[in-house]
Amino acid sequence: MGSEIGQRYFTREQRQAYRHKVLACLDVLEEMLHAGAFTQEAHRTGLEIELNLVDDDHQPSFANAEVLEAIANPEFQTELARFNIEFNVPPGDIAGDELLRLEDSLRASLNEAQRRSRELGHRIVMTGILPTVRLEHFAQPWMSDNTRFEALNDAMLTARGEDIHLDIEGPTGEHLDAQVGSLAPESVCTSTQFHLLVAPRDFARGWNAAQVLAGPQLALGANAPFAFGHRLEAESRIGVFTQAADTRPIEYANQGVRPRVFFGERWITSIFDLFEENSRWFPALLPETTDEDPRAVFAAGGTPELAELKLHNGTIYRWNRPVYDTVGGKAHVRLENRVLPAGPTIADTVANAAFYYGTLARMARDERPVWTRMAFRSAHDNFDAAARHGIDADLFWPGLGETPASELVLRHILPMAQAGLEGWGVDGAAIDRYLGIIEGRCLTGVNGADWQVRCVEAFEARGMGRDEALAAMTAAYAERMHTNEPVHTWDLP
C-alpha cells in the first residue's frame, strides 16, 4: 500500500498545491529522461506476496500486529486489513540457479513465519481471496493501525460520495450484490507482485509486452474463485478489487470517466506516457507535499525524490504499473506486475515468476513484437476473459485467432519463456523445474481456482452447506499449500 503519510485529512489549499507539485515533478521526470539520469542496470527482480491469517477453524484472524511482532522479520510487513500481512523479498537476479535458491529461501521464511504464527494460534494461507471471509467479519475493527490506510479509506469514500457497490455475477449464475461503507472488500484481494528493474529506454517495450502477457498469465494463475461465500469468476479478485477501489459515482462511470483500477487504453512509446496519464487524469487522494524543489535538486546535479509523483502513482492501480524510485542517490524505474493472486504454493509462485520474466524478456526483444499485430482492446479482452474463466478461457492471439489458453501457452508462449530464461542465463535445471510446473497446469487443466472449485463441489456433494464446504476446502488447501507441491498435482480430500 506504499509508504506512511503524516496526516489523515487535507484542506482544499493542500489539494491545489499538491496538484501543482505533481505536475512540477512530472516536468522534472521528463528532463531526467531526456538527460539519461537513470541507472541503466537491468535484470534485477523483486517480489511481494500478500498473505492471509486464519484461526484453527480457518476463519480470518484479525491479529496481524501480534503476528508480525512474533515473526520479527522486516521482510514481513503490515497490510490493509488486520488479517493480512505482506512478505517482501529483497531484489536480486535470477540468472544461474538463483530461482532454485529463491524457492528455498521463500519456503524457509514462510515456514518460520508459519511456526511463529501457530504458537499464537494463527495460521498463514496464501491465496487470491481467503474463501472463508464474509462481509460480516468487517463488523469488528478490521483496518490495520496505519494513517495511510485510514486516509485512503476516507478519501476514496469521499470521492465516491456513497457506499461501495459490489455487483459481480459468476459464469454459473451465483451473484454477489452488496453495499459496503469502507474499503474492506479491497483488503480481501491478496496478490503476488513481480518487480523488474528496466532501463528507461526499454520500458515501453517491457510494459507493452506485459500487457499482452497479462491474459495468459492470469489464465494460468487464477486462484480466487470464491468471494464472500459466492462462487464467482475464476479470479474474482480482479472484479472485487476493481469495484472496491472505484472512486467514481455511477454517473461518472456512465460518462466514461476512467477508474483508478486501470488496465490502460493504448500501447505506449515511453514510460513518460503512463506518468503523464496518471498525473493529468486522476485527482489526488493523499495530497501530502514535501519541501523538496525537484527542479532545483536536479539542476544542482542531485537526484530528486519526486515524492508527490510517487505518492500519487501509488494510488492508481494499473495491473502493470510504472514505478520511479531512488536507491543510494540514483534514480531507477521499475515495471510492477500486479496481475496475479497469491499462491497456491511457493513452487507455483516461482514458476509464475519464471514464466513471466522469461516470456517478457523474449517478447520485448522481438523485431516485430506481438503488440504491433494486436489491437490494445484485444489484450484487455484477453485479461477479462482470463479473470472470468481462468485456465478454461479462450484467448485471442495474432495469427491464431481465439485459442484455448492452455494450448496457446503450450504451443506458443512456453517456448518464448524458455528462450527468454536461457538468454537471461538461467540454469537448465531451474528452467525445467519451473516451466515444467506451467506445462503441468496446462496439460491437466488444473490451477488454484480449478482445484478450489472441484474441492468445494466434492464437499457439497457429500451434504455440506456452502460455509462448511468453504472452511473444509480452506483447511485442505492450507495443508497442501505448506507441502509446496505444485497445485496441479494436488489430490482432492
Side-chain angles (χ1 to χ4, degrees):
M1 298 293 290
S3 58
E4 181 59 285
I5 64 170
Q7 62 189 101
R8 182 171 176 180
Y9 303 107
F10 300 90
T11 66
R12 293 190 296 272
E13 291 78 13
Q14 284 177 298
R15 293 183 180 281
Q16 189 172 30
Y18 183 83
R19 178 186 294 115
H20 291 307
K21 192 71 178 288
V22 168
L23 294 177
C25 289
L26 183 68
D27 289 342
V28 173
L29 175 67
E30 185 174 28
E31 292 179 26
M32 294 175 70
L33 290 169
H34 285 310
F38 289 86
T39 178
Q40 299 302 309
E41 182 183 9
H43 282 184
R44 297 283 288 176
T45 67
L47 177 64
E48 302 171 58
I49 308 173
E50 295 164 350
L51 307 169
N52 299 283
L53 300 174
V54 299
D55 59 22
D56 288 339
D57 295 322
H58 292 88
Q59 303 298 310
S61 289
F62 291 77
N64 63 359
E66 62 181 271
V67 167
L68 288 171
E69 184 177 2
I71 293 174
N73 182 340
E75 292 181 356
F76 291 84
Q77 299 289 333
T78 190
E79 251 296 336
L80 177 56
R82 295 185 180 187
F83 67 93
N84 303 142
I85 58 176
E86 184 173 87
F87 184 14
N88 296 297
V89 182
D93 200 346
I94 62 170
D97 65 353
E98 287 302 314
L99 282 172
L100 297 168
R101 293 175 181 271
L102 175 64
E103 181 185 354
D104 289 343
S105 173
L106 293 177
R107 190 61 249 180
S109 294
L110 190 60
N111 284 345
E112 180 62 14
Q114 170 77 345
R115 183 186 70 79
R116 297 192 180 199
S117 299
R118 289 293 300 272
E119 291 175 351
L120 298 176
H122 311 288
R123 305 164 187 255
I124 294 174
V125 179
M126 185 167 57
T127 186
I129 293 178
L130 180 64
T132 54
V133 71
R134 292 299 195 106
L135 289 172
E136 301 85 80
H137 284 120
F138 297 101
Q140 62 186 296
W142 64 271
M143 189 184 296
S144 297
D145 186 15
N146 183 299
T147 303
R148 179 188 174 99
F149 299 158
E150 295 171 348
L152 196 60
N153 183 76
D154 294 339
M156 283 190 162
L157 269 294
T158 299
R160 186 179 176 89
E162 57 192 57
D163 286 351
I164 291 165
H165 184 202
L166 300 178
D167 183 9
I168 304 170
E169 183 174 340
T172 63
E174 293 193 39
H175 188 199
L176 172 64
D177 187 354
Q179 300 280 345
V180 186
S182 72
L183 285 184
E186 183 179 326
S187 72
V188 308
C189 303
T190 39
S191 66
T192 297
Q193 294 147 32
F194 299 134
H195 289 255
L196 179 64
L197 190 66
V198 183
R201 65 177 181 275
D202 299 326
F203 187 92
R205 293 178 71 87
W207 187 85
N208 290 341
Q211 293 289 93
V212 171
L213 188 56
Q217 187 186 8
L218 188 58
L220 288 174
N223 193 31
F226 296 96
F228 305 116
H230 301 273
R231 178 186 169 185
L232 300 175
E233 301 181 327
E235 185 56 29
S236 304
R237 169 182 138 267
I238 301 299
V240 170
F241 189 84
T242 297
Q243 294 184 12
D246 195 347
T247 57
R248 304 169 302 171
I250 187 65
E251 293 81 6
Y252 284 6
N254 291 340
Q255 291 177 43
V257 173
R258 298 167 179 89
R260 295 190 89 91
V261 181
F262 191 43
F263 187 85
E265 295 178 343
R266 61 186 175 106
W267 308 120
I268 64 169
T269 59
S270 166
I271 188 174
F272 185 79
D273 295 347
L274 301 179
F275 281 111
E276 183 177 38
E277 289 177 356
N278 288 354
S279 301
R280 299 191 184 279
W281 289 349
F282 298 99
L285 291 179
L286 305 175
E288 183 171 84
T289 58
T290 68
D291 293 332
E292 180 186 68
D293 181 342
R295 190 179 300 281
V297 171
F298 185 55
T303 301
E305 291 294 327
L306 305 186
E308 291 78 10
L309 187 76
K310 290 195 295 184
L311 179 59
H312 185 56
N313 188 60
T315 64
I316 299 154
Y317 305 101
R318 294 178 182 268
W319 297 109
N320 285 295
R321 182 158 68 181
V323 177
Y324 169 92
D325 209 350
T326 60
V327 176
K330 293 183 178 180
H332 70 257
V333 294
R334 301 195 305 272
L335 174 57
E336 180 188 14
N337 177 260
R338 305 166 52 81
V339 167
L340 289 180
T345 66
I346 292 298
D348 286 301
T349 300
V350 179
N352 291 338
F355 176 76
Y356 169 72
Y357 289 128
T359 306
L360 200 71
R362 178 66 185 85
M363 198 181 288
R365 292 201 311 266
D366 282 349
E367 290 186 8
R368 191 184 175 207
V370 173
W371 61 88
T372 65
R373 296 174 281 129
M374 182 178 186
F376 190 87
R377 184 70 234 181
S378 296
H380 196 174
D381 289 345
N382 281 350
F383 183 72
D384 289 343
R388 187 160 182 80
H389 301 292
I391 206 163
D392 296 322
D394 289 332
L395 306 178
F396 172 82
W397 200 258
L400 302 176
E402 296 288 331
T403 304
S406 294
E407 181 180 342
L408 173 63
V409 171
L410 280 173
R411 294 179 179 234
H412 299 279
I413 303 182
L414 266 181
M416 285 193 274
Q418 177 156 345
L421 292 173
E422 289 172 349
W424 202 316
V426 177
D427 282 356
I431 295 174
D432 290 346
R433 171 161 174 74
Y434 300 117
L435 296 191
I437 290 173
I438 300 298
E439 181 182 34
R441 280 190 223 153
C442 292
L443 292 173
T444 61
V446 175
N447 59 10
D450 180 79
W451 187 90
Q452 288 191 45
V453 167
R454 291 193 298 126
C455 189
V456 167
E457 288 176 342
F459 283 132
E460 290 181 333
R462 298 174 200 171
M464 289 187 187
R466 175 59 59 84
D467 286 354
E468 185 182 5
L470 287 173
M473 181 273 285
T474 304
Y477 177 104
E479 179 184 357
R480 287 157 179 76
M481 181 200 106
H482 285 291
T483 69
N484 201 38
E485 294 298 324
V487 69
H488 72 273
T489 68
W490 290 4
D491 62 341
L492 290 174

